[in-house]
Amino acid sequence: MTTSDSYDVAVIGYGPTGATAANLLGQAGLKVVVIERDSDVYGRARAISTDEEVMRIWQSVGLADRLQQDMLPDRPLNFVDADGVPFIDLKIAPRGAGHPPQQFLYQPAVDHVLREGVQRFAGVDVLLEHECLRVLPKGDEVELMLADLRTDTFKRFRASYVIAADGGSSPTRGQLGVGYTGRTYAERWVVIDTKVLKEWDAHDRLRFHCNPARPTVDCPTPLGHHRWEYPARTGEDDDELLREEAIWKVLEDQGVTRENVKILRAVIYSHHVRVADRWRVGRVFLAGDAAHAMPPWIGQGMSAGVRDVANLCWKLAAVVQRRAPESLLDSYQSERKPHVIEVTRRACFAGRIITERNRAIAAVRNHVLRALTRLPGLDVRVQRLTWIPDARYREGFFAAPTHPAVGWQIPQPWVTDATGATVRLDDVLGGRWTLLHVGELPAGAHPWADLGVPSLQITEPILVDWLRRKKAAAVVLRPDGFIYAAAESGQPLPLPPDIRIATEATA
């Protein structure tokens, strides 16, 4: 048994959630250890899309532009009937986060870029082929016992805090005795990943084939890949479903032949709707699939995990660096869980539209939705109600009394920085607490200035209009870009929270 130095944070799991956490914490200057059982990036593409808010998080650690090189942005989205005729035909509308609103991705490529990003930080140690066997709270630290799978030896580490991003079957969650409530859909789904050999009509768009006989998801992924997903019918055998002859029967029914694609892999899985009863147990936090699982219909499984650690890591940095009380960490679940539940509800709703098996109901669905989407502007309004919910927290670590702007994430337009360069807003803010105001500096600004919070006068039209719609002339942003406090014109800003605010970027 070997013992190593203590760490500020241990991250269990090195998928996109854990790798994003390692980048955020490393950038904040924390001492971090990442523990991963596998020897390399998982080879099978799981997540296949993300959104502008997640790209904004990756932008905060300097990786968005590199990741963008391997993604497919702004692809059309079709819901088609049994004859392949669209009854919904749209592109996801942007919400002002400064990146394409929807992107298709190839997860192994994303994982590689995120891991390369972690290598920039000398304070982050990555232990591949190590399995975390035990997480044991001990006073103001957590002891972790690891098995080194390469040498069949054991190691002990200590960390002030632990982020368990170790998947839906999370051993850490099990050790902590945390319930994982919800349900698993009885229906099994076949997932086919392919390499594109020759393009075909509509190869470049996401299509939900809403055919009662065999609902199918038909999705482009970058770097020359394409995916299909479809449910097993009652009585169909798993082994039979995975035979190439059976797979080609489904693909050829859609006009895709052996000339078009090469089958790389085929697996069967079930959809889950589950949420952990607690996301924090003392100094251990659950994130990503360890905290919640949702069906894939609006592509938010991976994205939700990235949002989790973006919310959590700046708070951990503030607490570890003794700039905030530990009670700040209690806001993690209260902020993130309602958003996750709403995302899951919308994903389930989209799934019901796609997988309706009653032919009469499906016919009504096709007719009604086809008519509605022809009305000018209605498709955008429907999208806002049924796709990814707004970047807003309704409760958590925010000033009181509340203001309509509090809890919203500020938009991110392109702005001109002090050097005259055109950059995204977040690159100017630098992950700091910041006071933004329209017109004169508001009353109540001096206590914030005394803490070292910089103030910026806003003249950019998109931001000015957005603040006016929220009835705010001044707002104070948290390091994650969400509005902590706000005031109308002529009204004073609330006092700062009882924390020490650093003037340097904290991720």
Side-chain angles (χ1 to χ4, degrees), residues 272-295:
H272 306 276
V273 178
R274 297 185 181 274
V275 179
D277 298 342
R278 293 177 292 163
W279 295 18
R280 178 185 185 184
V281 179
R283 291 174 172 266
V284 183
F285 298 84
L286 304 178
D289 288 352
H292 44 75
M294 65 183 71

Side-chain angles (χ1 to χ4, degrees), residues 445-506:
H446 294 299
W448 292 95
D450 291 343
L451 287 175
V453 175
S455 60
L456 295 175
Q457 184 175 4
I458 296 300
T459 59
E460 201 284 326
I462 292 175
L463 284 179
V464 171
D465 290 345
W466 189 88
L467 290 171
R468 284 175 177 164
R469 290 197 300 273
K470 294 288 186 286
K471 300 180 179 179
V475 296
V476 177
L477 303 183
R478 309 188 315 187
D480 59 355
F482 286 80
I483 296 174
Y484 173 83
E488 297 182 33
S489 179
Q491 298 296 316
L493 276 169
L495 292 172
D498 186 22
I499 64 175
R500 184 167 62 87
I501 297 172
T503 59
E504 295 162 352
T506 61

Side-chain angles (χ1 to χ4, degrees), residues 187 189 211-215 231-233 355-360 362:
E187 198 167 52
W189 279 71
N211 183 348
R214 175 85 81 180
R233 293 171 176 147
T355 61
E356 177 57 58
R357 299 302 184 89
N358 185 296
R359 293 182 180 276

